[in-house]
Amino acid sequence: MSQDGIEPSATVLRTSSSSSQSSSFDFSKFLDQMKSKGAEPIAKYLRSFLSNFSKKAFSVNDQIKVIQDFLGFISVRMRECEVWSRASESEFENATEAMEKLVMNRLYDLTFSPSIAQTNRPLTTDDIEKDNILSQRIRFLSWIREEHLDIPPRQDGFLDFAKSELLKINHYKAPRDKLICILNACKVIFGLIRHSHSDESADTFMPLLIFLVIQSNPDHLISNVEYIQRFRSPAKLKSEAGYYLSSLMAAVSFIETLDHTCLANITPEEFEHNVEEAIKALPPPSPNETTGPTITVTQEKDPEAETIPPHAGEESAQPLSMASPDLDFTSMQPFSHPSAPNFNPLSLAEDTKSFFRRTGDSISKPLGAIGKIISTAVEGKESSDNGENPNGYPRLPGPFSPLALRQSSRSSSPSHPPPDGLNYVPYKSRLRPDTPQSSSDAGAEQSPDARPTLAPRVQTLLDSRGPSRASSPLLDLSELSESIATIDARTAEQGTAAMNTLRQIFPTLETDVLQLVLEASDGDVGMSIDRLLEMSGG
Amino acid sequence: MSRQFQFKLVLLGESAVGKSSLVLRFVKDQFEDYRESTIGAAFLTQTVTLEDQTTVKFEIWDTAGQERYKSLAPMYYRNANCAVVVYDITQSASLEKARNWIRELQRQADPSIVIALCGNKSDLSARRQVTQEEAQKYAEEEGLMWGETSAKTGEGVSEIFLSIAKKLPLTVPSATAPRGGASARPAGQKGVDLNRSTTQSQDGCNC
């Protein structure tokens, strides 16, 4: 694996995080690749697919099929493309993963049930009804405490940490990132189990997962799980990720059917009484309960929910890294920590030795890349407002064209100048069928090698010769409204959230200390926890 | 290249019978693939190599053994190729629970599922409540594999998993044709992972 540029030290920790998460996922690298001239045909296919997908009303099953077909098709094309033809397995895996993420980021409003509802498009599933039923049920059961599930009393800090990880599921758009939120929450639960010296097993994990779901009551949990199952690559929903996703569904199923016989330390009378009290305490249901996102449950703490900017959630979720399950491998497998050479986890106390860690070097990349793209977009915005330039050279700025809407991003980013120095044209004109670009689209479609793996349905979608409407909702660049300032604000929020997490877990340590450690860890919560545990437990 | 298979194994049994210790022991002793678990020990993988160099990779799905979670088990044994049902030889009630699991598997799981009944805590035979004869007789009647294990000493542990591996249908190389039904699924779509585990077994410990 060393030939593919992954830091050897990183691979020690994460050699085979295999199916569930790709350890070295680098979205910005993919975006850079897509911007290169060699990737132009791929970008064209993608643009055409996205544009056409948004114009048709598919059933959910057809959506799944069409998207899978397209991703299968495009990965064959990508392999043939010079940009990836010599890429290693893992590099290419990065590209196909990123392509899925990019496509689903773009198609989110058409595929994620709550977003479909929010944009007043017709729904073809009952996801939202199920969301509402579940979240209401959880509110009826909000009085459930640890003892009802035979969970020994715990440190709330861990649970709050797990909660915040799970609640991020509504922040991210790509199925991959949503899944990572679930897996991260599960990792935190195992951290808690280890910390309390319990056996690591389903016996201890399941009650905590159920308790976590009840405590956090994430909005649209069913919609999220369904969305992941529909649109995450099936190969990535097996093995470990499949296990934890199944466990989450099992937890939901438990909650859906729970009665007093499923709980410990409670009489039927107490159960009934508690539910009645909980119902009384709830506000009356709104009349159009089933249709709108307006009924979203207000969370106790979910500051993000209200203020999410339009294209937030397109960055990448970071898998929390931690050592393997507590199999006591420390004697044979010393940990290495690329960004903290002096950090010696072997000296950690027994219960903390394999706590969360992640490689520090991968943390800032995704946000940084997005910031860069956005700053490019903002700089170019004024000039783009001058209108279209249909005669301009029809170069694609790459898959991020949606983000780059309404800008002629001509060489405004010093780090990503257009390869040939020519101006980009505004997005709208690029969709015009009468540009040279379109005729080369046609050429690409006719090339014999474009056919073999292309399902007819996808072929139809790729046919971009029909009149394109620049106003297609997908490609409407209103997304660009997020400015650098917003990004900065979000970064700051993340810093505050990180501090809050640390305060919860280490209530006895001084804020200054937490702040110092957090800064020393480049804002990495996992690493900060490692260090603080070492300090307090050593 | 030797043949490689991948199977889903579900672990059932009452809470205190030591089913997770059993699997940890299995995974620990051969420490080949443990790093594939990145989240926690409820899901583990382990690869065994048979005499003819065929490798069988188990994806081990632990289930919560408490009675209140019984209704969740189908979500775990769905599509499982094999099941290990564990009881505690010092608790005859735990064999009763095991029998219930087995009945349920026989009714509801994939008909081709390979079931092994496993009497754990053989190191505590002084406090034995379930005789070997009784368990063995029951297993024979039901057509199950049977063995006693000690997660504590490791006795009998790898034997159980090895015999399951031998009993699984190892006729279709996993990278190719689907067998139809659930049994081929875990193996069928795993080209990349299987290659990866080949690489690992080359530089790792080859047991």
Side-chain angles (χ1 to χ4, degrees), chain A residues 16-23 97 176 179-180 183 187 232 235-242 244 319, chain B residues 36-39 190 193:
Chain A
S16 46
S17 34
S18 68
S19 46
S20 47
Q21 309 135 21
S22 70
S23 50
E97 279 283 85
R176 172 189 180 280
L179 183 57
I180 286 175
L183 299 180
K187 279 186 198 178
R232 182 71 174 129
K236 301 288 179 188
L237 285 179
K238 298 161 68 62
S239 294
E240 191 175 40
Y244 289 102
Chain B
E36 256 180 67
S37 291
T38 61
I39 296 184
K190 274 286 186 172
D193 277 25

Side-chain angles (χ1 to χ4, degrees), chain A residues 18-35:
Chain A
S18 68
S19 46
S20 47
Q21 309 135 21
S22 70
S23 50
S24 53
F25 182 69
D26 187 346
F27 194 46
S28 59
K29 179 181 174 187
F30 168 76
L31 296 178
D32 286 345
Q33 289 169 331
M34 284 292 281
K35 277 184 228 160

Side-chain angles (χ1 to χ4, degrees), chain A residues 12 15-21 89 148-150 183 186-187 190 194 200-203 206-207 210 238-240 242-244 246-247 249-250 253-254 262-264 322-325 327-329 332-333, chain B residues 6 13-16 19-21 24 27-28 31 33-44 59-66 68-69 71-72 75-76 78 185-187 189-190 192-193 196 200:
Chain A
V12 171
T15 318
S16 46
S17 34
S18 68
S19 46
S20 47
Q21 309 135 21
E89 264 315 307
H148 297 126
L149 291 162
D150 281 330
L183 299 180
C186 293
K187 279 186 198 178
F190 275 102
R194 235 163 276 164
E200 262 193 83
S201 70
D203 288 352
M206 202 59 209
I210 290 167
K238 298 161 68 62
S239 294
E240 191 175 40
Y243 177 84
Y244 289 102
S246 295
S247 295
M249 285 166 13
S253 153
F254 181 83
C262 301
L263 297 180
M322 59 195 283
S324 350
L327 305 184
D328 196 23
F329 287 114
M332 53 195 231
Q333 176 72 58
Chain B
Q6 187 162 328
E14 221 187 3
S15 293
K19 53 188 176 358
S20 44
S21 325
L24 277 178
V27 172
K28 236 178 183 174
F31 66 91
D33 267 338
Y34 64 90
R35 265 172 278 157
E36 256 180 67
S37 291
T38 61
I39 296 184
F43 173 91
L44 295 167
E59 291 189 343
I60 305 167
W61 290 45
D62 193 11
T63 61
Q66 298 95 320
R68 70 172 66 100
Y69 305 122
S71 65
L72 308 181
M75 303 177 80
Y76 290 84
R78 197 163 50 97
R185 274 199 60 224
Q189 307 158 15
K190 274 286 186 172
V192 173
D193 277 25
R196 183 177 301 161
Q200 280 180 356

Side-chain angles (χ1 to χ4, degrees), chain A residues 18 43 50 72 109 123 136 152 161 455:
Chain A
S18 68
L50 294 176
D109 287 348
L123 278 166
Q136 184 169 62
F161 189 16

Side-chain angles (χ1 to χ4, degrees), chain B residues 75-141:
Chain B
M75 303 177 80
Y76 290 84
Y77 62 67
R78 197 163 50 97
N79 295 330
N81 308 92
C82 41
V84 174
V85 183
V86 187
Y87 66 96
D88 173 353
I89 65 160
T90 70
Q91 300 289 334
S92 52
S94 70
L95 180 62
E96 262 325 295
K97 287 269 165 58
R99 287 175 193 259
N100 292 338
W101 284 121
I102 287 161
R103 264 194 296 277
E104 180 171 335
L105 288 172
Q106 287 169 335
R107 270 203 316 269
Q108 319 244 28
D110 187 292
S112 65
I113 192 168
V114 171
I115 305 174
L117 177 65
C118 179
N120 194 31
K121 306 197 185 176
S122 62
D123 51 296
L124 299 178
S125 61
R127 283 156 46 191
R128 176 188 289 279
Q129 288 187 0
V130 180
T131 65
Q132 297 197 341
E133 294 70 27
E134 178 190 2
Q136 196 165 11
K137 179 161 171 286
Y138 165 68
E140 274 166 20
E141 283 166 8

Side-chain angles (χ1 to χ4, degrees), chain A residues 293-346:
Chain A
T294 46
I295 35 76
T296 49
V297 186
T298 43
Q299 299 284 335
E300 247 178 56
K301 339 172 165 180
D302 188 8
E304 279 193 38
E306 312 297 326
T307 55
I308 295 174
H311 62 279
E314 297 186 359
E315 70 276 24
S316 298
Q318 294 296 327
L320 283 172
S321 281
M322 59 195 283
S324 350
D326 194 4
L327 305 184
D328 196 23
F329 287 114
T330 40
S331 52
M332 53 195 231
Q333 176 72 58
F335 299 116
S336 60
H337 211 296
S339 58
N342 299 322
F343 176 52
N344 178 13
L346 292 176

Side-chain angles (χ1 to χ4, degrees), chain A residues 337 343 355-358 498-499 502 506 509 513-535:
Chain A
H337 211 296
F343 176 52
F355 214 73
F356 323 107
R357 69 190 71 243
R358 49 180 151 177
M499 272 304 287
L502 295 181
F506 302 99
L509 291 179
V513 176
L514 301 178
Q515 189 71 52
L516 271 174
V517 171
L518 186 63
E519 279 166 18
S521 311
D522 292 332
D524 181 338
V525 182
M527 196 194 298
S528 304
I529 293 175
D530 270 344
R531 290 176 166 176
L532 289 164
L533 281 171
E534 188 184 27
M535 287 163 62

